[in-house]
Amino acid sequence: MARLPPRDLIGLDPAWSNLVSAIDADGVKRTWHVLDSGRESARGTVLCIHGNPNWSYMWRGLAQSLTDWRVIAVDALNMGFSERTGGPRRLADHISDLAAVTRALDIEGPVITIAHDWGGPISMGWAQQNLDQLAGVVLMNTGVARPLAVKVPPLISIARATLRATCKTTPMFLHGALRMARPQLTREVYRGYAAPYRTAALRTGVRDFVEDIPIEQTHESFETLAGVAAGLDKLQDVPALLMWGAKDIIFSDAFLHDLMQRLPHADVHRYPDAGHQIVEDTDAIDLIDTWINDRVSGARVPISTPNGPRTSAPIWSAVELRRNDDAKAIIEMRSKATERVERSISFGQLDERVQSLARGLLVAGIRPGDRLATLVPPGIDLTVLVYACLRAGIIVVAPDAGLGLDGLRRALRSSRPDYVVGDWRGLLLAKSLRLPATRLRLSSLDELAGSGSTVTTPAEPLPDDPAVVVFTSGSTGPSKGVVYTHRQLEAQRDALHGAFGIEPSDKAVVAFAPFAVLAPALGIPSVVPPMDVTKPAKLTAQTIADAATAIEATIVFASPAVLTNIAATSDDLQGPSRSALQSIRAVATAGAPVSPQLLAAIQPVFPNAHFFTPYGMTELMPVTIASANEIGADASDAGVCVGQPLATVDLTIRPITAPSGTFPDPLAAGMLGEVWVRANHLSQGYDHLWRNQSHAFTNDSSVNHKGQAALSAKPTKSGDIPLAASTIGPTRAASWHRSGDVGHLDEFGRLWIEGRVDHLIHAATGVFAPVETELQAESVSGVDHAVAVGVGPIGNQQLAVVVAGESVGSTVVADALVTAAVRAAVSAEIAAVLVTPTIPVDRRHNSKIDRTRVQKWAETVLRGGKPPRL
Amino acid sequence: MLGRAVAQTIGRNGHTVTVLQRRPSGLDYAEIQGDITDQQVVRSAVKDQQAVIHLAARVSPAGRWRDFADVNIGGTSNLINASQQAGVTRFVYVSSPSVASSGKAHIGESALPADPASTRSYYARSKAEAEQLVLARAGGEMAVTAVRPHLVWGPGDEQLVARVVRRATSGSLRLIGSGAALVDSTYVDNAADALAAALDQAPAIDGQALVISNGEPRPVTELLRGLCDAAGFELPMRCVPTWAAKAGGALVEAVWAAGRLTTDPPMTRFLAEQLSTAHWYDQRLTRELLDWTPTVSIDDGLARLADWYR
């Protein structure tokens, strides 16, 4: 018999519990325990289906928080508090049982199904039979078929082999599954989950569920499951959300990948650190709420991906245009002084190799739309590979060695490439990461290129097809994959071409990895100095001068860290090397702003150069390109001036406090707020992170143009001419990106950056950015670096200033003199002045302060904890 | 020290003040001498009064539970009963943030309910029980409120400043851990102003407990350094690890308890926790409800303390 759950389970309102009777497929009257939030005036019904070993208790949060929808969660027969039937229920039974319950409840209007674990196939079976009502589907850590690459998970094998002991007689399987929660469930919640399974008799259904996993083809549920899987193609116009705890040892990423291929239109949010019990581990309930509001209107709308007309030349076109040109396109340097030029390739050769490799990759079985990760150092091989993939429509996953080993692992796991190409080191790494991708040796690419030479040229990818996945640095939270389409890449090339005023006669030294691949797209020759991508700061003035000499360079791309080292080692330069650097007309930096001190030190090395500092983010680069020569002279305002936005970028400052999904009006000049940007070269968004996407990319079709008034007076640079003949159209992309950076615009329309939203200090007296405090603290003699962080609850934070420098001592709490001096120099109220031997910077740029770490450190010591390592 | 400051503040505000003290106060107000454990004395003290501010307590890091319970719980019980019988309309109980302290750090929180079971010293437990006793009378004719000043200091202070100075001069003052734990403190005049404000606002804050402080938390090292500086001593920079301080404190407590010692012990677990974990509070609601803000900053307070020592 079905029962009602105990009335004192935490989070479960006894008023939601009902016993519902209906006739099952065999004509027998059965009784189910059903949670029903009972909100009749709702937009529709959310139908929740649990997995094994579980019950509708897992949906209590949804019943609580989805106020616009009637939430119904059914305990399967033999599970939870539903009737024990005395015999096993198979997948087909569960599907027809669910239909019986929904008929008995007389559910009308739109229905969204939400399911977890083995509830997934049940919900999909129901969905396919009720397409006319179906308004959306949400699946989490489930599967409808075992992906080929996946062996039967050991836990399931063990459970299957020892069914009686593990699942029924003892509660081992139950407790094992519940203990997969990360972090562990509280005792009260644990009690809630275990409540219906206290005796062996009550656990029969748990055993039956495990037994019903159709591992072999002869299993009685095999056909049913195969039918459910095949039927998913009926859901191609139904909004779908796949939510995944990536640390699930049963429904691993492979199952997510399988579902993504069956539901290619689905929104995906993957939680890298959550496990199987995703509802307990994460903010899943909140995400579902957001997603339903955003994606499910109640009535069904067809989902289509418009692929608009071409607006600029393909990314490879500059190379293609020079296909008859013998001039060097790329030169790779090596560190030996005797033989400095290691390899080179002409434009003609480059075009030929790109074309043939593009064909070869397809011949090798890689399909357009597949993902291919490159673990190849910058240089000719990487450039050829990237252009070949783009030409063939293969999506390039480009992790950055600067992410560090752990960052690289997370990047590759989350982006899930189908193929990995690397040199021996890259492949060793891919192997050690146990990526489920096919590994290809870099040296085998020549063979592929050869095999492709006889095949006809592949079709060009469409402008709105995804082209690359790149990664955020991780200095502002866990690294995120960022997807660019071909159109967006082309727009980015055009923006950079215009902003740097690239002339056909230009030649570049590329000491900043991302630009190494870009140079051929800009149509200019480049030289790559020998560099360890993880330690770019080791490049010396001599290496750069050698590179410049080899190509008669006019432009240098480098990070501030590299420039610092160049300045430090420039005394050793001899006459010819010096004159090679005198021919440099432009030095472009990226990663972090150039300080006035660095500018003063580096200018004598490049006496004729203009210094450009682009400001932007992985999601949109560049936003501004400031001339460091101008900005160094004027540092009168709060923060760091990064110049005016490009003519092709819309930039507004909007309130920091704007909740996700809102589109507040821009703030006036001078007011501190979050930087919002929009441009044709804005990326598509985040990879498999729907939640971050919905927060940071606001797709507002009724676009608000108020922000443009302040910027319209800005002069258009003469260099703002796109590379391709077909220019950027008058209409801008509709999507705005909230950058997470905070700052303000001055009266000249210049942007001043004052930090990150996450690093703002939310004091009781108001919100302020750390940069001004830091600059004031750094004016104290002996203080080399200062980081201002907030500690304590938002809205009542205290300000701590963490300083480093040779003469500030080494105690955690600064001594009386330093404390007094910093307090006197800083205008804000300081609670504590702390001292640390070094300030950590993020690995990629070697230049951005890792504020999150400093903040955590300060929080720990000010709580009274042992100072962690910084 | 705080009692004197409060009497003077509300006297200046135009109230007619009577003080109940064990020893002569030397103040210019009507005075009754006696102990709050004596019901007779208490009844005569509250007779014809409109309001009572209750600051009397046994404050000591060590001692027997009985002694704390008698004064802090028994005395409070006498006082509130007598006040209610005498028709007093406002009753302000001066409590302590330690009544809701289970040894964990307090980081920008507002006042949590008193919890005697989880307190970490006899003092805190007795104050917590007494606070519950007082606030349980909310909703009646007499408005009751608990105000919890955190670490009160100033000229004439026998609790914090005098102890720190005594230890510093005898060379027995130690910093615990890295000495960076952020702690709130309250300059005595600000505490007096806040209590006077609580008296004014009593009907509006009936039944509430509020923490008060300067709202300027400082690393414990910086605070102690400031107090020592003002008193003309240098803060010794000898440090003990947190675990050692707690273990030592536990040992000392056992010895003091077994020997029935009444002198100040060099360390207790409670003290070790207070000096090594963060204790700072959200002052926004307090300030709004009391319509009060501190007028003497920590820096100004330290300057006044230095003057006093000179």
Side-chain angles (χ1 to χ4, degrees), chain A residues 842-860:
Chain A
D842 88 271
R843 297 178 53 144
R844 179 191 294 188
H845 308 303
N846 231 336
S847 38
K848 264 191 204 165
I849 291 169
D850 192 341
R851 283 166 193 284
T852 311
R853 267 178 77 194
V854 177
Q855 200 272 342
K856 290 240 154 66
W857 180 86
E859 211 160 54
T860 306

Side-chain angles (χ1 to χ4, degrees), chain A residues 764 791-798 811-816 819 823 829-834 861-865 867, chain B residues 105 107-109 178-182 215-219 221-222 225 229 237 242 276-278 280-284 299:
Chain A
V791 295
I794 295 289
N796 190 35
Q797 286 191 325
Q798 294 289 336
T811 51
V812 172
V813 178
D815 68 30
T819 304
R823 283 192 193 284
E829 281 274 319
I830 300 179
V833 181
L834 303 173
V861 301
L862 291 174
R863 193 181 61 228
Chain B
I107 300 168
E109 294 160 12
S178 64
L182 219 46
E216 298 174 278
R218 292 285 181 264
T221 303
E222 194 182 338
R225 189 164 63 201
D229 263 7
M237 290 303 284
T242 308
S276 67
T277 53
W280 58 279
Y281 299 88
D282 190 342
Q283 287 292 290
R284 288 174 292 179
D299 287 347

Side-chain angles (χ1 to χ4, degrees), chain A residues 45-224:
Chain A
T45 303
V46 168
L47 181 61
C48 306
I49 301 101
H50 66 82
N52 182 47
N54 218 318
W55 64 289
S56 50
Y57 184 69
M58 74 174 294
W59 307 114
R60 66 195 185 286
L62 218 47
Q64 182 70 50
S65 63
L66 279 190
T67 46
D68 290 356
W69 293 76
R70 178 182 181 187
V71 177
I72 288 179
V74 183
D75 285 359
L77 288 181
N78 293 343
M79 299 293 287
F81 288 93
S82 284
E83 183 178 334
R84 301 308 191 247
T85 61
R89 308 299 282 186
R90 298 304 180 204
L91 177 58
D93 303 322
H94 285 305
I95 293 171
S96 63
D97 287 347
L98 186 60
V101 176
T102 55
R103 267 196 308 275
L105 288 170
D106 216 4
I107 293 173
E108 285 177 6
V111 175
I112 301 169
T113 64
I114 302 186
H116 175 244
D117 188 82
W118 285 104
I122 302 172
S123 77
M124 289 301 94
W126 186 93
Q128 289 164 28
Q129 292 164 9
N130 294 276
L131 283 171
D132 54 328
Q133 274 186 291
L134 197 62
V137 298
V138 179
L139 294 171
M140 20 185 143
N141 288 76
T142 180
V144 292
R146 177 153 57 93
L148 285 177
V150 173
K151 300 194 188 84
V152 178
L155 191 69
I156 295 297
S157 301
I158 295 166
R160 286 283 299 265
T162 55
L163 273 177
R164 256 189 93 75
T166 52
C167 299
K168 189 183 167 195
T169 317
T170 72
M172 214 166 100
F173 185 72
L174 172 70
H175 291 301
L178 290 179
R179 290 206 194 283
M180 284 199 257
R182 302 157 181 266
Q184 290 288 309
L185 303 177
T186 65
R187 197 182 310 162
E188 292 88 348
V189 172
Y190 197 101
R191 182 175 154 258
Y193 276 104
Y197 301 116
R198 293 160 86 156
T199 68
L202 291 171
R203 286 192 293 268
T204 311
V206 174
R207 178 200 63 190
D208 295 344
F209 241 113
V210 175
E211 202 174 58
D212 194 35
I213 301 169
I215 292 175
E216 53 291 292
Q217 295 210 1
T218 50
H219 193 286
E220 60 183 304
S221 286
F222 189 89
E223 288 300 320
T224 320

